Amino acid sequence: EKKNKIITAEEKSTIAYHEGGHAIISWLLEHASPLVKVTIVPRGRSLGAAWYLPEERQITTTEQIFDEMCAALGGRAAEEVAFGRISTGALSDLEKVTKQAYAMVTVYGLNDKLGNITYYDSTGQSEYSFSKPYSEDTAMVIDKEISTLIESQYQRAITILSENKDKLNKLADILIEKEVIFKDDLESIFGKRPFDPI
């Protein structure tokens, strides 16, 4: 923890809504990893942090990736829902979802436009080492599909948080006051997570 890092009240509020957005989306989506703990106390370069309990799985479905992407975008979406603006605080979230979307489209063949094809070379000895193994037209389709995937999950996060704005406000207030929240705090607002084993 870096309690000596100077953070304004406005920044603290932004961080609380950002982390609260991640927590709420993760709580409400079946395939997102459920929350264990969230803090708005700075750690290293991060201004806030959340810990989740990831599900152990050997393979991942499209639905699971979509829920994870939506949860990762929940922080940025919460800032937009709460303040009508976004900050630079979501860089690592954007990096994560961009890599996930890129992998869906170019590696795992999980995109309807491109179909059952991969541009992944598992040997590491690609004959395409000096150029992309696809045309410029295909590159444009890849870019558009990645953007569409990310934007659709961002809009999904906006919708979920807009429908739960009162709960987002409540959670952010608790975070601002306590600086750390746990699973119990989310249960007090939302009730038991419907997807957790009884």
Short mmCIF file of all heavy atoms in Angstrom, two decimals, residues 18-66:
data_model
loop_
_atom_site.label_atom_id
_atom_site.label_comp_id
_atom_site.label_asym_id
_atom_site.label_seq_id
_atom_site.Cartn_x
_atom_site.Cartn_y
_atom_site.Cartn_z
N HIS A 18 -14.86 3.53 -10.33
CA HIS A 18 -14.18 2.63 -11.26
C HIS A 18 -14.11 1.20 -10.69
O HIS A 18 -14.55 0.24 -11.33
CB HIS A 18 -12.77 3.16 -11.55
CG HIS A 18 -12.02 2.38 -12.58
ND1 HIS A 18 -11.90 2.80 -13.88
CD2 HIS A 18 -11.37 1.18 -12.51
CE1 HIS A 18 -11.20 1.90 -14.57
NE2 HIS A 18 -10.87 0.91 -13.76
N GLU A 19 -13.58 1.07 -9.48
CA GLU A 19 -13.46 -0.26 -8.87
C GLU A 19 -14.83 -0.86 -8.56
O GLU A 19 -15.04 -2.06 -8.68
CB GLU A 19 -12.59 -0.19 -7.61
CG GLU A 19 -11.14 0.22 -7.86
CD GLU A 19 -10.39 -0.70 -8.80
OE1 GLU A 19 -10.75 -1.88 -8.94
OE2 GLU A 19 -9.40 -0.23 -9.42
N GLY A 20 -15.76 0.01 -8.17
CA GLY A 20 -17.13 -0.45 -7.92
C GLY A 20 -17.78 -1.00 -9.18
O GLY A 20 -18.52 -1.99 -9.14
N GLY A 21 -17.48 -0.38 -10.32
CA GLY A 21 -18.02 -0.87 -11.61
C GLY A 21 -17.53 -2.27 -11.93
O GLY A 21 -18.32 -3.14 -12.32
N HIS A 22 -16.23 -2.50 -11.74
CA HIS A 22 -15.69 -3.85 -11.94
C HIS A 22 -16.41 -4.85 -11.03
O HIS A 22 -16.81 -5.93 -11.45
CB HIS A 22 -14.20 -3.90 -11.57
CG HIS A 22 -13.28 -3.25 -12.54
ND1 HIS A 22 -13.30 -3.50 -13.90
CD2 HIS A 22 -12.28 -2.35 -12.35
CE1 HIS A 22 -12.36 -2.79 -14.49
NE2 HIS A 22 -11.73 -2.08 -13.57
N ALA A 23 -16.54 -4.48 -9.76
CA ALA A 23 -17.12 -5.38 -8.76
C ALA A 23 -18.56 -5.75 -9.10
O ALA A 23 -18.95 -6.92 -9.04
CB ALA A 23 -17.04 -4.74 -7.38
N ILE A 24 -19.35 -4.74 -9.48
CA ILE A 24 -20.78 -4.99 -9.77
C ILE A 24 -20.95 -5.87 -11.00
O ILE A 24 -21.72 -6.84 -10.97
CB ILE A 24 -21.53 -3.65 -9.94
CG1 ILE A 24 -21.66 -2.96 -8.57
CG2 ILE A 24 -22.90 -3.86 -10.57
CD1 ILE A 24 -22.20 -1.55 -8.62
N ILE A 25 -20.24 -5.56 -12.08
CA ILE A 25 -20.36 -6.38 -13.29
C ILE A 25 -19.94 -7.82 -13.00
O ILE A 25 -20.60 -8.77 -13.40
CB ILE A 25 -19.53 -5.80 -14.45
CG1 ILE A 25 -19.95 -4.37 -14.77
CG2 ILE A 25 -19.60 -6.70 -15.68
CD1 ILE A 25 -21.13 -4.19 -15.67
N SER A 26 -18.84 -7.98 -12.27
CA SER A 26 -18.36 -9.33 -11.93
C SER A 26 -19.39 -10.07 -11.09
O SER A 26 -19.54 -11.29 -11.21
CB SER A 26 -17.05 -9.25 -11.15
OG SER A 26 -16.06 -8.67 -11.94
N TRP A 27 -20.09 -9.35 -10.24
CA TRP A 27 -21.09 -9.96 -9.36
C TRP A 27 -22.32 -10.42 -10.15
O TRP A 27 -22.90 -11.45 -9.86
CB TRP A 27 -21.50 -8.94 -8.30
CG TRP A 27 -22.25 -9.54 -7.16
CD1 TRP A 27 -23.61 -9.52 -6.97
CD2 TRP A 27 -21.71 -10.25 -6.05
NE1 TRP A 27 -23.94 -10.17 -5.80
CE2 TRP A 27 -22.78 -10.62 -5.22
CE3 TRP A 27 -20.41 -10.59 -5.68
CZ2 TRP A 27 -22.59 -11.33 -4.04
CZ3 TRP A 27 -20.22 -11.29 -4.51
CH2 TRP A 27 -21.30 -11.66 -3.70
N LEU A 28 -22.69 -9.62 -11.17
CA LEU A 28 -23.95 -9.86 -11.87
C LEU A 28 -23.84 -10.77 -13.10
O LEU A 28 -24.85 -11.24 -13.59
CB LEU A 28 -24.58 -8.52 -12.29
CG LEU A 28 -25.01 -7.62 -11.13
CD1 LEU A 28 -25.51 -6.28 -11.67
CD2 LEU A 28 -26.05 -8.29 -10.26
N LEU A 29 -22.62 -11.00 -13.59
CA LEU A 29 -22.46 -11.86 -14.77
C LEU A 29 -21.99 -13.25 -14.36
O LEU A 29 -21.03 -13.39 -13.60
CB LEU A 29 -21.48 -11.24 -15.76
CG LEU A 29 -21.90 -9.92 -16.38
CD1 LEU A 29 -20.88 -9.46 -17.40
CD2 LEU A 29 -23.28 -10.02 -17.03
N GLU A 30 -22.63 -14.24 -14.91
CA GLU A 30 -22.39 -15.63 -14.50
C GLU A 30 -20.95 -16.07 -14.68
O GLU A 30 -20.39 -16.75 -13.83
CB GLU A 30 -23.31 -16.57 -15.30
CG GLU A 30 -23.14 -18.02 -14.93
CD GLU A 30 -24.10 -18.94 -15.65
OE1 GLU A 30 -24.91 -18.47 -16.46
OE2 GLU A 30 -24.04 -20.16 -15.36
N HIS A 31 -20.33 -15.71 -15.78
CA HIS A 31 -19.00 -16.25 -16.10
C HIS A 31 -17.83 -15.35 -15.68
O HIS A 31 -16.68 -15.70 -15.93
CB HIS A 31 -18.90 -16.58 -17.58
CG HIS A 31 -19.95 -17.53 -18.04
ND1 HIS A 31 -20.06 -18.82 -17.57
CD2 HIS A 31 -21.00 -17.35 -18.90
CE1 HIS A 31 -21.09 -19.41 -18.13
NE2 HIS A 31 -21.68 -18.54 -18.95
N ALA A 32 -18.14 -14.21 -15.09
CA ALA A 32 -17.07 -13.34 -14.60
C ALA A 32 -16.62 -13.87 -13.24
O ALA A 32 -17.40 -14.46 -12.50
CB ALA A 32 -17.56 -11.90 -14.48
N SER A 33 -15.36 -13.68 -12.92
CA SER A 33 -14.84 -14.15 -11.64
C SER A 33 -15.41 -13.30 -10.51
O SER A 33 -15.33 -12.07 -10.56
CB SER A 33 -13.32 -14.06 -11.62
OG SER A 33 -12.77 -14.83 -12.66
N PRO A 34 -15.99 -13.93 -9.48
CA PRO A 34 -16.62 -13.16 -8.39
C PRO A 34 -15.59 -12.46 -7.51
O PRO A 34 -14.48 -12.94 -7.31
CB PRO A 34 -17.40 -14.22 -7.61
CG PRO A 34 -16.72 -15.51 -7.92
CD PRO A 34 -16.15 -15.38 -9.29
N LEU A 35 -16.01 -11.35 -6.96
CA LEU A 35 -15.17 -10.50 -6.14
C LEU A 35 -14.82 -11.13 -4.80
O LEU A 35 -15.64 -11.78 -4.18
CB LEU A 35 -15.92 -9.20 -5.89
CG LEU A 35 -15.20 -8.22 -4.97
CD1 LEU A 35 -14.33 -7.33 -5.80
CD2 LEU A 35 -16.19 -7.42 -4.17
N VAL A 36 -13.60 -10.92 -4.35
CA VAL A 36 -13.18 -11.29 -3.01
C VAL A 36 -12.94 -10.02 -2.19
O VAL A 36 -13.40 -9.89 -1.07
CB VAL A 36 -11.89 -12.15 -3.05
CG1 VAL A 36 -11.39 -12.45 -1.65
CG2 VAL A 36 -12.11 -13.43 -3.83
N LYS A 37 -12.23 -9.04 -2.79
CA LYS A 37 -11.85 -7.81 -2.06
C LYS A 37 -11.57 -6.70 -3.06
O LYS A 37 -11.04 -6.95 -4.15
CB LYS A 37 -10.60 -8.10 -1.23
CG LYS A 37 -10.00 -6.92 -0.51
CD LYS A 37 -8.70 -7.34 0.18
CE LYS A 37 -7.95 -6.17 0.74
NZ LYS A 37 -6.68 -6.56 1.34
N VAL A 38 -11.92 -5.47 -2.69
CA VAL A 38 -11.61 -4.29 -3.50
C VAL A 38 -11.04 -3.22 -2.58
O VAL A 38 -11.53 -3.03 -1.48
CB VAL A 38 -12.87 -3.70 -4.18
CG1 VAL A 38 -12.55 -2.40 -4.89
CG2 VAL A 38 -13.47 -4.67 -5.17
N THR A 39 -10.02 -2.52 -3.05
CA THR A 39 -9.47 -1.41 -2.29
C THR A 39 -9.27 -0.21 -3.20
O THR A 39 -9.01 -0.37 -4.39
CB THR A 39 -8.14 -1.77 -1.60
OG1 THR A 39 -7.66 -0.63 -0.89
CG2 THR A 39 -7.08 -2.20 -2.60
N ILE A 40 -9.41 0.98 -2.62
CA ILE A 40 -9.08 2.19 -3.37
C ILE A 40 -7.81 2.84 -2.78
O ILE A 40 -7.51 3.98 -3.07
CB ILE A 40 -10.25 3.20 -3.41
CG1 ILE A 40 -10.69 3.62 -2.01
CG2 ILE A 40 -11.41 2.61 -4.21
CD1 ILE A 40 -11.67 4.79 -2.00
N VAL A 41 -7.09 2.07 -1.97
CA VAL A 41 -5.79 2.51 -1.47
C VAL A 41 -4.76 2.21 -2.56
O VAL A 41 -4.68 1.08 -3.04
CB VAL A 41 -5.42 1.80 -0.15
CG1 VAL A 41 -4.02 2.21 0.31
CG2 VAL A 41 -6.44 2.08 0.93
N PRO A 42 -3.97 3.21 -2.98
CA PRO A 42 -3.01 2.98 -4.06
C PRO A 42 -2.01 1.87 -3.73
O PRO A 42 -1.59 1.72 -2.59
CB PRO A 42 -2.28 4.33 -4.18
CG PRO A 42 -3.20 5.32 -3.56
CD PRO A 42 -3.94 4.59 -2.49
N ARG A 43 -1.66 1.08 -4.76
CA ARG A 43 -0.67 0.00 -4.63
C ARG A 43 0.23 0.08 -5.85
O ARG A 43 -0.24 -0.08 -6.96
CB ARG A 43 -1.34 -1.37 -4.62
CG ARG A 43 -2.27 -1.55 -3.47
CD ARG A 43 -3.05 -2.85 -3.58
NE ARG A 43 -3.69 -3.03 -2.30
CZ ARG A 43 -3.15 -3.61 -1.25
NH1 ARG A 43 -1.94 -4.10 -1.33
NH2 ARG A 43 -3.79 -3.72 -0.12
N GLY A 44 1.51 0.30 -5.61
CA GLY A 44 2.45 0.41 -6.75
C GLY A 44 2.00 1.52 -7.67
O GLY A 44 1.69 2.62 -7.23
N ARG A 45 1.88 1.23 -8.96
CA ARG A 45 1.42 2.23 -9.93
C ARG A 45 -0.09 2.30 -9.99
O ARG A 45 -0.66 3.19 -10.60
CB ARG A 45 2.00 1.92 -11.31
CG ARG A 45 3.49 2.14 -11.36
CD ARG A 45 4.10 2.01 -12.72
NE ARG A 45 3.27 1.39 -13.74
CZ ARG A 45 3.75 0.78 -14.79
NH1 ARG A 45 5.04 0.68 -14.97
NH2 ARG A 45 2.95 0.27 -15.69
N SER A 46 -0.76 1.31 -9.40
CA SER A 46 -2.21 1.24 -9.45
C SER A 46 -2.85 2.11 -8.37
O SER A 46 -2.38 2.16 -7.25
CB SER A 46 -2.63 -0.22 -9.26
OG SER A 46 -4.02 -0.33 -9.20
N LEU A 47 -3.94 2.79 -8.74
CA LEU A 47 -4.65 3.65 -7.78
C LEU A 47 -5.71 2.89 -7.00
O LEU A 47 -6.20 3.36 -5.99
CB LEU A 47 -5.27 4.83 -8.52
CG LEU A 47 -4.27 5.76 -9.19
CD1 LEU A 47 -4.99 6.85 -9.97
CD2 LEU A 47 -3.33 6.37 -8.17
N GLY A 48 -6.09 1.74 -7.48
CA GLY A 48 -7.06 0.88 -6.80
C GLY A 48 -6.81 -0.54 -7.26
O GLY A 48 -6.10 -0.76 -8.24
N ALA A 49 -7.40 -1.48 -6.56
CA ALA A 49 -7.18 -2.88 -6.96
C ALA A 49 -8.36 -3.74 -6.52
O ALA A 49 -9.06 -3.41 -5.57
CB ALA A 49 -5.89 -3.41 -6.32
N ALA A 50 -8.56 -4.81 -7.25
CA ALA A 50 -9.62 -5.77 -6.92
C ALA A 50 -9.06 -7.17 -7.03
O ALA A 50 -8.23 -7.46 -7.89
CB ALA A 50 -10.80 -5.58 -7.86
N TRP A 51 -9.51 -8.03 -6.14
CA TRP A 51 -9.12 -9.44 -6.17
C TRP A 51 -10.36 -10.27 -6.42
O TRP A 51 -11.41 -10.04 -5.84
CB TRP A 51 -8.50 -9.85 -4.83
CG TRP A 51 -7.16 -9.25 -4.61
CD1 TRP A 51 -5.95 -9.81 -4.86
CD2 TRP A 51 -6.88 -7.93 -4.09
NE1 TRP A 51 -4.94 -8.93 -4.53
CE2 TRP A 51 -5.48 -7.78 -4.06
CE3 TRP A 51 -7.67 -6.87 -3.64
CZ2 TRP A 51 -4.86 -6.62 -3.61
CZ3 TRP A 51 -7.06 -5.71 -3.20
CH2 TRP A 51 -5.67 -5.60 -3.19
N TYR A 52 -10.22 -11.24 -7.32
CA TYR A 52 -11.34 -12.09 -7.71
C TYR A 52 -10.96 -13.54 -7.51
O TYR A 52 -9.79 -13.88 -7.42
CB TYR A 52 -11.72 -11.84 -9.18
CG TYR A 52 -12.11 -10.41 -9.44
CD1 TYR A 52 -11.17 -9.48 -9.85
CD2 TYR A 52 -13.41 -9.98 -9.24
CE1 TYR A 52 -11.51 -8.15 -10.06
CE2 TYR A 52 -13.77 -8.67 -9.45
CZ TYR A 52 -12.82 -7.76 -9.86
OH TYR A 52 -13.17 -6.45 -10.07
N LEU A 53 -11.99 -14.39 -7.50
CA LEU A 53 -11.76 -15.82 -7.37
C LEU A 53 -12.03 -16.45 -8.72
O LEU A 53 -13.18 -16.74 -9.06
CB LEU A 53 -12.70 -16.40 -6.31
CG LEU A 53 -12.44 -17.84 -5.89
CD1 LEU A 53 -11.06 -17.97 -5.25
CD2 LEU A 53 -13.51 -18.31 -4.93
N PRO A 54 -10.99 -16.62 -9.55
CA PRO A 54 -11.23 -17.17 -10.88
C PRO A 54 -11.63 -18.64 -10.83
O PRO A 54 -11.17 -19.39 -9.98
CB PRO A 54 -9.89 -16.99 -11.60
CG PRO A 54 -8.88 -16.80 -10.54
CD PRO A 54 -9.58 -16.34 -9.30
N GLU A 55 -12.52 -18.99 -11.75
CA GLU A 55 -12.98 -20.37 -11.86
C GLU A 55 -11.89 -21.17 -12.57
O GLU A 55 -11.28 -20.70 -13.53
CB GLU A 55 -14.26 -20.35 -12.71
CG GLU A 55 -14.86 -21.67 -13.02
CD GLU A 55 -16.03 -21.55 -14.00
OE1 GLU A 55 -16.10 -20.56 -14.76
OE2 GLU A 55 -16.84 -22.46 -14.02
N GLU A 56 -11.62 -22.37 -12.07
CA GLU A 56 -10.63 -23.23 -12.75
C GLU A 56 -11.29 -23.86 -13.96
O GLU A 56 -12.33 -24.48 -13.85
CB GLU A 56 -10.13 -24.32 -11.79
CG GLU A 56 -9.11 -23.79 -10.80
CD GLU A 56 -8.44 -24.92 -10.04
OE1 GLU A 56 -8.09 -25.94 -10.65
OE2 GLU A 56 -8.29 -24.77 -8.82
N ARG A 57 -10.66 -23.67 -15.13
CA ARG A 57 -11.20 -24.29 -16.34
C ARG A 57 -10.08 -24.54 -17.34
O ARG A 57 -9.12 -23.78 -17.40
CB ARG A 57 -12.32 -23.46 -16.94
CG ARG A 57 -12.00 -22.00 -17.20
CD ARG A 57 -13.24 -21.26 -17.66
NE ARG A 57 -12.94 -19.89 -17.97
CZ ARG A 57 -13.64 -18.86 -17.54
NH1 ARG A 57 -14.68 -19.04 -16.79
NH2 ARG A 57 -13.29 -17.64 -17.88
N GLN A 58 -10.26 -25.59 -18.11
CA GLN A 58 -9.26 -25.97 -19.10
C GLN A 58 -9.54 -25.33 -20.45
O GLN A 58 -8.63 -25.09 -21.23
CB GLN A 58 -9.22 -27.50 -19.26
CG GLN A 58 -8.92 -28.25 -17.97
CD GLN A 58 -7.63 -27.81 -17.32
OE1 GLN A 58 -6.60 -27.71 -17.98
NE2 GLN A 58 -7.67 -27.53 -16.04
N ILE A 59 -10.83 -25.11 -20.74
CA ILE A 59 -11.19 -24.44 -21.98
C ILE A 59 -12.13 -23.28 -21.62
O ILE A 59 -12.74 -23.27 -20.55
CB ILE A 59 -11.89 -25.39 -22.99
CG1 ILE A 59 -13.15 -26.01 -22.39
CG2 ILE A 59 -10.94 -26.46 -23.48
CD1 ILE A 59 -14.00 -26.76 -23.40
N THR A 60 -12.22 -22.32 -22.51
CA THR A 60 -13.04 -21.14 -22.26
C THR A 60 -14.00 -20.95 -23.42
O THR A 60 -13.61 -21.05 -24.59
CB THR A 60 -12.13 -19.89 -22.12
OG1 THR A 60 -11.18 -20.15 -21.08
CG2 THR A 60 -12.94 -18.66 -21.74
N THR A 61 -15.27 -20.68 -23.10
CA THR A 61 -16.28 -20.46 -24.14
C THR A 61 -16.36 -18.98 -24.50
O THR A 61 -15.86 -18.11 -23.78
CB THR A 61 -17.67 -20.91 -23.66
OG1 THR A 61 -18.08 -20.04 -22.58
CG2 THR A 61 -17.67 -22.36 -23.19
N THR A 62 -17.01 -18.71 -25.62
CA THR A 62 -17.23 -17.33 -26.05
C THR A 62 -17.95 -16.54 -24.97
O THR A 62 -17.59 -15.40 -24.67
CB THR A 62 -18.05 -17.32 -27.36
OG1 THR A 62 -17.39 -18.13 -28.32
CG2 THR A 62 -18.21 -15.92 -27.91
N GLU A 63 -18.99 -17.14 -24.37
CA GLU A 63 -19.77 -16.45 -23.32
C GLU A 63 -18.89 -16.07 -22.14
O GLU A 63 -19.04 -15.00 -21.56
CB GLU A 63 -20.94 -17.33 -22.85
CG GLU A 63 -22.03 -17.57 -23.88
CD GLU A 63 -21.63 -18.56 -24.97
OE1 GLU A 63 -20.74 -19.41 -24.74
OE2 GLU A 63 -22.18 -18.46 -26.08
N GLN A 64 -17.99 -16.96 -21.77
CA GLN A 64 -17.08 -16.68 -20.65
C GLN A 64 -16.16 -15.51 -20.98
O GLN A 64 -15.94 -14.63 -20.14
CB GLN A 64 -16.28 -17.94 -20.30
CG GLN A 64 -17.13 -19.02 -19.65
CD GLN A 64 -16.44 -20.38 -19.60
OE1 GLN A 64 -15.59 -20.70 -20.43
NE2 GLN A 64 -16.83 -21.19 -18.64
N ILE A 65 -15.63 -15.49 -22.19
CA ILE A 65 -14.75 -14.39 -22.60
C ILE A 65 -15.53 -13.07 -22.61
O ILE A 65 -15.04 -12.05 -22.13
CB ILE A 65 -14.10 -14.64 -23.98
CG1 ILE A 65 -13.20 -15.89 -23.94
CG2 ILE A 65 -13.26 -13.42 -24.41
CD1 ILE A 65 -12.70 -16.35 -25.29
N PHE A 66 -16.76 -13.09 -23.14
CA PHE A 66 -17.57 -11.88 -23.18
C PHE A 66 -17.83 -11.34 -21.77
O PHE A 66 -17.72 -10.14 -21.52
CB PHE A 66 -18.90 -12.13 -23.89
CG PHE A 66 -18.80 -12.21 -25.38
CD1 PHE A 66 -19.75 -12.89 -26.12
CD2 PHE A 66 -17.76 -11.60 -26.07
CE1 PHE A 66 -19.68 -12.97 -27.50
CE2 PHE A 66 -17.68 -11.67 -27.46
CZ PHE A 66 -18.64 -12.35 -28.17
#
